[in-house]
Amino acid sequence: MVGTLRFAHPTAAFRVERPSMTSGKSVTRSAPSTVQATTVSSSLLAVQTSGHGFTDLTSEAAKFIDEARARDGALTLFIRHTSASLTIQENADPSVLVDLATALSRLAPENAGWTHDTEGPDDMPAHVKTMLTGSSLQVPVLNGRLALGTWQAIYLIEHRKRPHRREVVLQFVGSNQ
């Protein structure tokens, strides 16, 4: 199956053909719903970490959505640090988090000869891990609930060895109840 894209241009019309990646029989979509964004609610979440590892923020995010009386919209989470990050990952099998930590350590090892080591040998690898995993997330909110999948959770990843106090900005934009 070939789809056609048409682009308007002041002097010519362009036609780009591309093969379809899926057949219409394997993809379904609900009808679009529209809400008017009338609410912006924000909160600052302080998280005390215990060093390297994952901290589940899902229940705090859900509590914020409940307190904001959010109905439909989007929750943005933003971590205000460069050596810790945010991710959405599996919450059922703890070995997933162990393997992810191992993978990050392999991608950004402490002994890689980093130039930036003022705050210790784990500082520059922490910055690289944050760059790889990200400092913000956006989660849809539908009918007053986070639209996470069954096995998904929101995690703060501490990339430094020692404990830190981390700040995560939570902001909901959308309609409320």
Side-chain angles (χ1 to χ4, degrees):
M1 173 185 257
V2 174
T4 301
L5 300 173
R6 297 184 197 282
F7 298 95
H9 187 275
T11 60
F14 295 93
R15 180 179 164 167
V16 178
E17 294 188 357
R18 59 184 167 85
S20 176
M21 298 298 285
T22 61
S23 72
K25 295 178 183 176
S26 65
V27 177
T28 62
R29 179 178 57 81
S30 66
S33 63
T34 304
V35 298
Q36 185 172 358
T38 57
T39 301
V40 176
S41 297
S42 302
S43 183
L44 184 62
L45 177 63
V47 180
Q48 184 63 47
T49 70
S50 57
H52 281 161
F54 291 75
T55 302
D56 190 338
L57 303 181
T58 312
S59 63
E60 287 297 327
K63 188 185 306 182
F64 168 71
I65 291 301
D66 187 53
E67 291 172 0
R69 301 189 67 222
R71 174 92 180 128
D72 293 300
L75 170 65
T76 299
L77 299 94
F78 175 78
I79 190 163
R80 297 168 62 164
H81 304 278
T82 59
S83 57
S85 58
L86 299 170
T87 191
I88 294 175
Q89 272 301 331
E90 179 176 327
N91 63 1
D93 183 352
S95 68
V96 169
L97 301 180
V98 172
D99 288 343
L100 290 171
T102 300
L104 287 172
S105 293
R106 288 178 182 158
L107 291 169
E110 284 188 25
N111 61 355
W114 306 106
T115 303
H116 174 72
D117 62 1
T118 308
E119 295 180 49
D122 68 333
D123 190 36
M124 190 59 214
H127 293 302
V128 173
K129 292 170 187 177
T130 296
M131 182 179 67
L132 292 171
T133 52
S135 58
S136 67
L137 299 171
Q138 190 168 42
V139 180
V141 176
L142 301 173
N143 296 316
R145 299 179 59 98
L146 297 170
L148 293 169
T150 302
W151 308 114
Q152 289 182 315
I154 300 166
Y155 292 99
L156 180 154
I157 313 171
E158 178 60 67
H159 300 299
R160 300 295 305 272
K161 287 181 185 176
R162 64 180 180 80
H164 282 80
R165 181 184 178 278
R166 301 301 191 173
E167 294 181 346
V168 178
V169 177
L170 305 173
Q171 188 171 69
F172 170 75
V173 177
S175 65
N176 60 353
Q177 300 173 1

